[in-house]
Amino acid sequence: MRISLNWLREWVDIGSDVDTLAHELTMLGLEIEAIEHLGAGLSNVLVGQIKTIEPHPNADKLVVCTTDIGQNQPLQIVCGATNMRVGDKVPTAVDGSTLAGGFKITHRKMRGVESQGMMCAPDELGMGSDHSGLLILPADAPVGADALHLLGLDDTVLEIEITPNRGDWASMIGVARELSALHKTPLRQPQFKLQEDGPPASGYSSVTIEAPELCPRYAGRIITGLTIGPSPLWLRQRLLAAGQRPINNVVDVTNLVLLETCQALHAFDFNKLHENRIVVRNAKHNETIETLDEQTRKLTPEMLVIADARHPVALAGIMGGAASEVTDSTTDIFLESAYFQPATVRATARALGMNTEASQRFQRGADPEMAIWALDRAAYLIQLVAGGAIAKGRLDEYPKPFETKTLQLRYARTDLLLGTAVPPEDERGILERLAFTSTATDETT
């Protein structure tokens, strides 16, 4: 699990320097495998705005641009990209800049025309491997500003090892909660308010759970009239820092919420579901599914699938199917959030040789109550970045709700086990900051 410190600071106040924080997390039980300083070695990259684009007089595949970087004179830059337009804002490396791999930028002539800098593609800034075109910045990016800061490349990422018994640590909220308890600072869980519109979700679709022992809870929301496209910069930044490749705005939101909450979600193209409904059931003998990785999987009756009225459309808790994939033409989605029995996810993932971000979390044990908060959080963010209307209400099948457990905390017993004396109010405070609720207190026991 890769933890962005910039992202973590949005959840909890962290006053420690990186080395101290890494030590604190290690003492809490989170083993630090690596510390990566994003943007290390990069320098002097500014926000530039393209003012003109003209053909290169001596090269058909090059153009000559003038780019304003907020200084007295715009720069003349020779460029081979084709995805930019006049008015676009792009990260611009000036004379003396250093880019990914230690590449130095200097004034030079390209096919006889002077080039005074370079406008950058994502890979030239260490942001993945995309070299298909320039990185286009938001329209409101200030000309002349530090592009590295704007792109979140002044961040540090801690890579932590997640033990099998602490699946909650595979999330921002899980790590932030530990630090909240340690530093006695509040946890800032994001606040949002859904804007629901149109007919109720129950008028669009239905959910049937045929295997409640394997799927105790399955919830969904319907979002219609959305537009699939690239995610905004802030969302792509978050995923890249976490080591994930951005795909499109809807899928990126589901991945973001997974990283935030440890709750894996899946978006189905609603109009590709036969009869527009969901059935959670065991696979049939010799049934197959083509998964999103373009592999055809032969299923057995022990495996749990998410199906529509005819065929499987996902492997429960592991991966979606290609037949219901969200694509550029998708306008309506069914957004899934569920709790799957860990053993069934583990067995299916092992039998099919599939190890996914979702299966890693479900087989450690998810939180059936977090499923609803994560579902609503994702619906809110999808509407924010892709538009559309969120149908009123949720589809939420929960035939046998989990009972909340009540445990007795004995202060004397705690001191005996720890070999030290912890004041009762400190014990309660730690547990409450870890999201436990006190139902009764007695200072003497």
Side-chain angles (χ1 to χ4, degrees):
M1 177 72 183
R2 289 170 57 88
I3 300 293
S4 155
L5 295 196
N6 285 352
W7 193 0
L8 188 62
R9 287 188 173 101
E10 295 180 6
W11 288 76
V12 65
D13 289 326
I14 305 171
S16 312
D17 61 61
V18 174
D19 290 337
T20 301
L21 178 63
H23 176 73
E24 290 173 345
L25 291 172
T26 300
M27 293 298 99
L28 288 169
L30 291 88
E31 181 181 348
I32 307 299
E33 293 191 319
I35 299 175
E36 179 183 353
H37 299 283
L38 302 184
L42 303 180
S43 66
N44 214 16
V45 182
L46 307 177
V47 175
Q49 185 172 31
I50 300 173
K51 293 299 185 181
T52 65
I53 304 175
E54 301 293 340
H56 192 292
N58 303 317
D60 293 339
K61 294 185 178 181
L62 298 176
V63 293
V64 182
C65 303
T66 54
T67 304
D68 178 13
I69 58 168
Q71 299 181 1
N72 293 332
Q73 295 293 327
L75 302 180
Q76 176 174 283
I77 298 176
V78 177
C79 182
T82 59
N83 68 315
M84 68 286 194
R85 301 290 182 268
V86 171
D88 283 346
K89 294 179 179 179
V90 295
T92 306
V94 300
D95 185 34
S97 299
T98 304
L99 300 181
F103 185 68
K104 301 284 187 181
I105 301 300
T106 59
H107 284 203
R108 58 175 177 158
K109 286 190 175 182
M110 297 181 67
R111 300 294 297 270
V113 175
E114 184 181 19
S115 185
Q116 299 172 316
M118 188 170 83
M119 299 180 293
C120 303
D123 66 327
E124 291 161 338
L125 299 173
M127 299 177 65
S129 58
D130 183 8
H131 194 70
S132 60
L134 299 184
L135 176 60
I136 307 301
L137 299 174
D140 59 355
V143 172
D146 182 351
L148 301 179
H149 175 71
L150 180 72
L151 292 168
L153 293 174
D154 55 352
D155 196 5
T156 299
V157 172
L158 301 180
E159 189 159 348
I160 63 175
E161 175 69 22
I162 307 300
T163 57
N165 65 318
R166 290 303 304 267
D168 59 305
W169 284 344
S171 67
M172 298 301 299
I173 192 171
V175 176
R177 188 185 290 125
E178 297 285 338
L179 292 169
S180 169
L182 177 67
H183 290 288
K184 299 181 180 180
T185 56
L187 180 69
R188 292 189 295 268
Q189 194 161 324
Q191 302 298 309
F192 57 89
K193 184 178 181 179
L194 287 182
Q195 294 183 351
E196 300 174 304
D197 193 21
S202 58
Y204 285 98
S205 184
S206 65
V207 171
T208 303
I209 301 178
E210 295 183 357
E213 70 284 358
L214 302 181
C215 177
R217 188 173 204 176
Y218 191 99
R221 277 194 176 273
I222 309 295
I223 307 175
T224 60
L226 47 74
T227 302
I228 304 298
S231 293
L233 184 61
W234 67 266
L235 179 49
R236 285 181 281 153
Q237 283 177 305
R238 289 284 185 257
L239 296 180
L240 287 167
Q244 294 201 9
R245 177 177 62 88
I247 298 173
N248 61 50
N249 44 14
V250 168
V251 175
D252 291 351
V253 164
T254 64
N255 288 332
L256 179 90
V257 174
L258 174 143
L259 294 168
E260 282 187 336
T261 67
C262 206
Q263 175 65 41
L265 308 164
H266 186 69
F268 299 97
D269 186 317
F270 181 67
N271 297 309
K272 294 177 183 176
L273 299 174
H274 290 289
E275 299 183 13
N276 298 130
R277 63 189 181 96
I278 291 291
V279 181
V280 186
R281 60 170 174 81
N282 287 94
K284 300 175 183 177
H285 186 64
N286 286 331
E287 203 165 31
T288 62
I289 181 175
E290 181 184 352
T291 44
L292 289 172
D293 58 1
E294 300 181 344
Q295 300 294 313
T296 299
R297 314 278 180 177
K298 185 176 180 180
L299 309 178
T300 63
E302 295 78 24
M303 298 176 179
L304 186 69
V305 298
I306 312 304
D308 58 18
R310 298 182 189 175
H311 309 295
V313 291
L315 294 172
I318 300 174
M319 186 179 287
S324 58
E325 179 181 7
V326 171
T327 65
D328 291 346
S329 62
T330 298
T331 57
D332 309 322
I333 63 168
F334 182 104
L335 184 62
E336 166 197 282
S337 185
Y339 176 87
F340 300 114
Q341 203 268 345
T344 192
V345 176
R346 186 181 305 113
T348 300
R350 184 177 299 156
L352 297 176
M354 302 177 71
N355 183 31
T356 65
E357 293 281 351
S359 68
Q360 289 176 22
R361 287 163 172 83
F362 278 123
Q363 65 191 12
R364 285 186 169 98
D367 178 358
E369 300 306 320
M370 178 59 77
I372 297 303
W373 190 88
L375 176 65
D376 288 351
R377 167 77 170 156
Y380 166 80
L381 290 173
I382 287 172
Q383 187 177 58
L384 181 68
V385 302
I390 303 171
K392 294 178 182 177
R394 311 179 199 95
L395 300 164
D396 185 9
E397 291 298 312
Y398 197 11
K400 294 183 179 180
F402 286 88
E403 294 183 5
T404 301
K405 293 182 179 180
T406 301
L407 305 175
Q408 184 180 26
L409 173 65
R410 293 175 291 166
Y411 301 122
R413 177 65 174 166
T414 302
D415 290 346
L416 180 64
L417 290 173
L418 293 177
T420 187
V422 181
E425 62 273 17
D426 288 350
E427 292 190 29
R428 288 201 313 276
I430 291 169
L431 291 171
E432 287 169 357
R433 288 191 295 276
L434 291 172
F436 290 87
T437 301
S438 296
T439 57
T441 59
D442 183 342
E443 299 290 341
T444 64
T445 61

